[in-house]
Amino acid sequence: MSVIPARRRTAGVLVTALLLAPCGVAVAAPATSAPRTTEHNAAVTALPDAVYEVVHPDGRSLHTTSEAEADQLIAEDGWTERHEAFRASTAKVAGTVPIYRLYAPNGSPFLTPHRTEADNAVAKLGYRYAATDADGTPQAGFHAWSTDQGSGAVAVHRLSTMVAGQWRWANAVKGSERFDTLINSGWTDEGRRFWASPAQSTPPENPGEGDGTFGLVVIPDTQIEAWRDDDQRMRQRVSFLSSQREALDLRAIVHTGDVVDTWYTEPNNGHYQRMDRWLAPLKALGLPTILTVGNHDTLAVGEGTGSANPDIGAVKGLRITDFFNNYFTDDVQTGLVDQYETNKIDNAAHAFEAEGRKWLVINLELYPRAGAVAWANEVVAAHPDHNVIIAEHHYLDGNGSINGSGAYGEKSAQYVFDNLVRKHANIRLVLSGHTGQWAERTDTGDHGNKIVSLMANLNGTDSPVRVITIDVEADTIDSVMYGSDQLNGPVNTTPKDYMRLHYDQMDF
C-alpha cells in the first residue's frame, strides 16, 4: 500500500462546494441539515478503532487512524488540537462501507464514502487519494456505517465555509462541541456523510502515581493570544501539555486569569469562541482545569485596552461575567466540588488526589466580595485533610508585595491574606498574574505553615507555561517555566533558564 506523507496533505482550501458532481454532471451539495439533534434508534456493537481529528488554525480538519500522522502534522505543519473524534474500523466489517481520505496541494482534506465523488475530485480538482495499493487502486482510510445503527452510533457531517472566495471543508459529529463551534462560527452544515461509533472519553491513567511527585500546571495571562484566529500560542501550549502529560505527571491545570480580552461587541464573541475551542483538547486529559477570572474576562475594561469600560465603568463591569461563564463552564467540570454562586465559576473549588494526598484548588474573583472570601473560608474548613491552593488574578504586585488595594472591586489581596490565607494550617500555595512580569514570596501562616506565593504575567511571544513539581515525600516545591523559541513556535520540552524556584519544608 502506498500512503502519502502527512505533510503533503496540509495546504490550501477547497475550490468549489459542488465537488460531488461526477464528470459532466452537476450535483448540488446536500441541503443544510435540520436543527441539531442526535440521530439514532437502537443499540449496535461499537466499531473498535479511534479516528483522530487534527484541526488547522483556519478551521480545516484532517481525520486519521494514525497517531503518528496526527503528531507529525502538529510538530511540522502547524496543525493543532488533536483529539479522538469518533470510532470506526480499519478493517471491513459487516454493514460498513469504505471511507476515502483525499487531499490536494491547494485544497482541504476531506472524507467521503462515495467513490464517484472521490474520483471526480481527483479528475477535476487535483485531489489525490491518501492511500493506494501497489496498482494504484484507492484504499479506504477506514470503514464506517452508511446507515443509522441506533443509539450506539453518531452521525458524521460535512461542513463548509467560504473565505476570501475559497471553500474550506471540515467533518464533525453532529451535536459535538466541534460541530457546534463550526456552526456558531458561520459554517454551513452540508449534511450527514456516514455513521460511526462515539469517541471513547475515558481519561488516561496517571502512570506516575506512587513515586511521590507530580506536576501542577499554571498558565499566566493570555488575553492578547485571543485576538487573532491565526495565533498559535495557546494551541502550542495545549499541544505541549497533551504530549507531556505523562512525562511531567500532570494532575491539574490552573489559569490565573485574563483568559481572553473582553471584546464584548465582537461578532459571535470571537475571543471567547477561539479560546474555548483552543482549550477544548484539555478535556481529553481528564484533569481538573481551573480558570480564574481576570479583569479582561469581565466587562470591567474597554475593548483592547486596560482602561475602564467607557460604557458602564469598571466597578459595575467587574462582576459581569456572563460571556466567561457561558463559554467556559463546561471546561471546568472535572473535580468541581463547590461554587459560591449557582451556575457561576467566578469562585469555585476543585478537588483531586495525587501521590496519596488530597488537594483542593480554590479560584477567587478579582478584588473579591467579602461574601466570596467567607465562602472560601468555609470550603477550606470543610476540607481539613486537603492541601489547599488559592488562585486570584491580582494577589502579588510586581515587587513581590501583597497587593493592598481593592481597586474597582471590594477587597484587596491583603484582605484575602489576613482573612483567609494565613488563617488555615493547610493552605500551601497562592497563584496569581495580572501585573509586573514575575514575582514570588514566602509567608508563614498563623499555624506555622509555609505559604508560597507565585506570580507571573508574561504576555510575550514564547507561549509561557509554569510547571510546579510537588514532592510529597521530600516536602518540596520546584517551579520552572517552559516556552517556545519564537512567536507561534512549539513549546520546548527543556525548561527556560529563568524563574527556576525551589522551596522546602512544605509539610504536605
Side-chain angles (χ1 to χ4, degrees):
M1 178 182 292
S2 171
V3 180
I4 304 298
R7 66 174 60 91
R8 295 175 60 187
R9 293 196 285 272
T10 62
V13 293
L14 284 179
V15 176
T16 175
L18 298 178
L19 187 59
L20 287 174
C23 298
V25 180
V27 181
T32 302
S33 297
R36 299 190 291 280
T37 58
T38 303
E39 304 175 51
H40 61 77
N41 52 36
V44 68
T45 301
L47 297 175
D49 300 311
V51 177
Y52 302 98
E53 179 181 38
V54 191
V55 179
H56 193 272
D58 65 15
R60 293 176 287 150
S61 62
L62 180 142
H63 292 77
T64 178
T65 57
S66 169
E67 291 186 80
E69 179 183 21
D71 290 342
Q72 182 183 5
L73 286 166
I74 292 172
E76 299 180 13
D77 296 311
W79 293 64
T80 57
E81 303 182 41
R82 191 196 89 178
H83 63 276
E84 183 179 327
F86 50 84
R87 293 252 162 162
S89 176
T90 55
K92 170 71 174 175
V93 297
T96 65
V97 297
I99 306 299
Y100 299 101
R101 302 168 62 230
L102 291 97
Y103 77 98
N106 296 307
S108 290
F110 75 97
L111 303 173
T112 179
H114 304 296
R115 180 65 183 274
T116 301
E117 176 184 23
D119 287 344
N120 186 61
V122 170
K124 293 189 172 184
L125 300 175
Y127 274 77
R128 301 179 188 178
Y129 284 97
T132 60
D133 64 15
D135 298 327
T137 302
Q139 299 295 299
F142 51 84
H143 296 77
W145 297 302
S146 61
T147 58
D148 186 359
Q149 300 295 305
S151 58
V154 292
V156 180
H157 285 229
R158 183 185 293 165
L159 301 95
S160 64
T161 190
M162 176 76 76
V163 177
Q166 296 179 308
W167 288 99
R168 293 175 183 163
W169 279 9
N171 290 90
V173 172
K174 185 175 183 181
S176 68
E177 182 174 359
R178 166 75 169 152
F179 181 95
D180 291 343
T181 296
L182 291 169
I183 291 294
N184 291 335
S185 298
W187 288 61
T188 298
D189 179 9
E190 294 190 354
R192 184 179 63 250
R193 287 305 182 265
F194 54 88
W195 298 85
S197 291
Q200 298 292 317
S201 58
T202 303
E205 296 180 355
N206 295 312
E209 183 68 23
D211 65 359
T213 66
F214 70 93
L216 173 72
V217 175
V218 186
I219 301 174
D221 304 43
T222 57
Q223 70 268 27
I224 63 174
E225 298 176 19
W227 289 358
R228 295 166 55 95
D229 283 325
D230 60 357
D231 196 298
Q232 297 290 315
R233 283 172 285 184
M234 180 57 80
R235 284 173 281 196
Q236 294 287 9
R237 190 182 288 110
V238 169
S239 177
F240 167 79
L241 295 176
S242 298
S243 66
Q244 296 298 306
R245 179 187 187 276
E246 181 175 340
L248 299 175
D249 196 8
L250 304 179
R251 304 299 183 88
I253 300 168
V254 180
H255 195 302
T256 52
D258 283 356
V259 181
V260 301
D261 202 359
T262 309
W263 289 88
Y264 46 89
T265 63
E266 183 183 21
N268 299 317
N269 306 318
H271 281 211
Y272 294 89
Q273 284 201 17
R274 291 183 198 108
M275 200 59 73
D276 182 41
R277 184 171 70 249
W278 297 340
L279 289 170
L282 293 178
K283 292 182 184 178
L285 301 182
L287 302 177
T289 299
I290 296 89
L291 302 180
T292 309
V293 175
N295 53 314
H296 287 268
D297 300 313
T298 75
L299 298 194
V301 298
E303 295 184 329
T305 74
S307 303
N309 185 320
D311 298 319
I312 60 175
V315 174
K316 181 178 180 180
L318 184 61
R319 303 300 175 217
I320 301 178
T321 56
D322 296 11
F323 290 137
F324 189 89
N325 282 279
N326 288 342
Y327 279 94
F328 299 130
T329 296
D330 288 344
D331 297 321
V332 301
Q333 292 304 304
T334 301
L336 183 64
V337 295
D338 207 343
Q339 296 162 268
Y340 176 50
E341 296 166 296
T342 303
N343 299 323
K344 294 186 72 174
I345 58 173
D346 304 42
N347 301 276
H350 290 74
F352 65 98
E353 295 188 19
E355 300 304 326
R357 305 292 196 275
K358 295 180 180 179
W359 303 85
L360 185 73
V361 183
I362 297 177
N363 61 281
L364 286 174
E365 64 192 12
L366 178 61
Y367 310 130
R369 291 163 287 177
V373 178
W375 163 82
N377 270 300
E378 294 174 359
V379 174
V380 176
H383 294 80
D385 56 346
H386 286 62
N387 293 285
V388 179
I389 300 166
I390 304 293
E392 184 187 359
H393 183 55
H394 188 187
Y395 184 80
L396 290 189
D397 282 332
N399 60 5
S401 63
I402 298 175
N403 176 257
S405 170
Y408 40 88
E410 185 173 324
K411 300 301 182 182
S412 68
Q414 188 64 54
Y415 178 94
V416 173
F417 177 79
D418 292 336
N419 293 275
L420 170 65
V421 174
R422 68 183 299 170
K423 297 293 185 182
H424 299 272
N426 57 333
I427 292 183
R428 312 296 186 194
L429 268 169
V430 183
L431 306 171
S432 63
H434 182 66
T435 188
Q437 287 189 310
W438 68 277
E440 56 90 24
R441 67 179 286 130
T442 302
D443 293 289
T444 301
D446 291 350
H447 300 271
N449 53 304
K450 180 181 285 189
I451 304 166
V452 173
S453 299
L454 301 175
M455 181 275 285
N457 176 33
L458 303 172
N459 284 310
T461 62
D462 62 350
S463 306
V465 56
R466 185 197 297 270
V467 176
I468 297 172
T469 299
I470 295 175
D471 188 326
V472 301
E473 302 298 336
D475 286 326
T476 60
I477 289 176
D478 287 278
S479 172
V480 296
M481 296 294 298
Y482 291 87
S484 61
D485 291 330
Q486 60 185 6
L487 178 65
N488 290 328
V491 176
N492 294 324
T493 56
T494 300
K496 296 285 189 178
D497 291 330
Y498 62 87
M499 290 178 62
R500 291 174 177 256
L501 304 170
H502 174 80
Y503 307 91
D504 56 15
Q505 299 180 339
M506 293 303 302
D507 194 25
F508 294 121

